[in-house]
Amino acid sequence: MTPPPAADTPKAFSPPPASDEQWMRVALEQARSAAGLGEVPVGAVLTAGDELIATAGNSPIGLCDPTAHAEILVLRRAAGRIGNYRLTGTTLYVTLEPCLMCMGAMIHARVDRLVFGAFDPKTGAALSRYRVGSDGRLNHDIEITAGILEDECSALLRDFFRLRRDCGRSA
């Protein structure tokens, strides 16, 4: 999928560092683990430079918590590990474009950079539906890199939902 035009967001499509694919593969592992637990397969990783700070997969069903998106969980784990709710100097990698809630949490945590794989045309709040964090309207901007391993990330979601639909039909 081609990203939407970003004329008003000059930081939105920076050239990705070589490590982006490496970290996105770790996020994909988290997404696969979430899928194995019956969760929507979204995985997230938070790094500071070359250091892995935290990982998480979607867990709203297992935790009975509608806020337990992979991004929220990785921010909570990282803040606990670092001992500070401000996560400056970090990059959050996630397999699916974040929703409004998750983008808001990243703003409050002061995450420097977001890297995501698959676009979410229905609820994506980084570029697809909204431009939270890169539209200059808030007190913190997030550098956004989109489409890293997009095909793999999209296929994981597509296959997960296809399997759920197919199982529903055969039941």
Side-chain angles (χ1 to χ4, degrees):
M1 172 184 230
T2 303
D8 60 335
T9 56
K11 292 184 358 176
F13 297 106
S14 304
S19 60
D20 282 356
E21 285 192 14
Q22 168 199 339
W23 291 119
M24 189 60 73
R25 290 193 191 290
V26 177
L28 277 162
E29 290 172 18
Q30 293 296 310
R32 288 185 191 99
S33 294
L37 298 172
E39 302 280 357
V40 173
V42 178
V45 171
L46 192 84
T47 65
D50 294 340
E51 183 184 358
L52 175 66
I53 305 298
T55 64
N58 252 9
S59 297
I61 297 167
L63 294 176
C64 297
D65 179 356
T67 70
H69 292 193
E71 301 95 308
I72 299 295
L73 295 175
V74 85
L75 292 172
R76 287 177 183 162
R77 289 173 186 169
R81 179 173 175 207
I82 292 170
N84 192 337
Y85 74 106
R86 297 286 197 218
L87 301 172
T88 58
T90 61
T91 299
L92 193 147
Y93 294 86
V94 63
T95 56
L96 179 65
E97 181 179 3
C99 70
L100 278 167
M101 173 184 70
C102 293
M103 288 302 297
M106 284 183 256
I107 296 288
H108 288 291
R110 303 298 194 265
V111 169
D112 286 355
R113 185 165 175 255
L114 165 66
V115 179
F116 70 85
F119 287 85
D120 186 346
K122 292 184 179 179
T123 63
L127 296 174
S128 294
R129 298 296 289 173
Y130 307 98
R131 293 179 183 274
V132 176
S134 64
D135 62 7
R137 295 179 178 196
L138 300 171
N139 62 335
H140 177 71
D141 285 332
I142 298 175
E143 180 182 341
I144 299 171
T145 303
I148 301 298
L149 300 181
E150 179 180 3
D151 291 342
E152 279 185 63
C153 294
S154 295
L156 183 59
L157 287 158
R158 189 173 46 252
D159 293 348
F160 175 81
F161 287 111
R162 180 180 300 130
L163 182 62
R164 287 187 70 169
R165 281 190 304 272
D166 291 348
C167 287
R169 285 185 195 130
S170 63

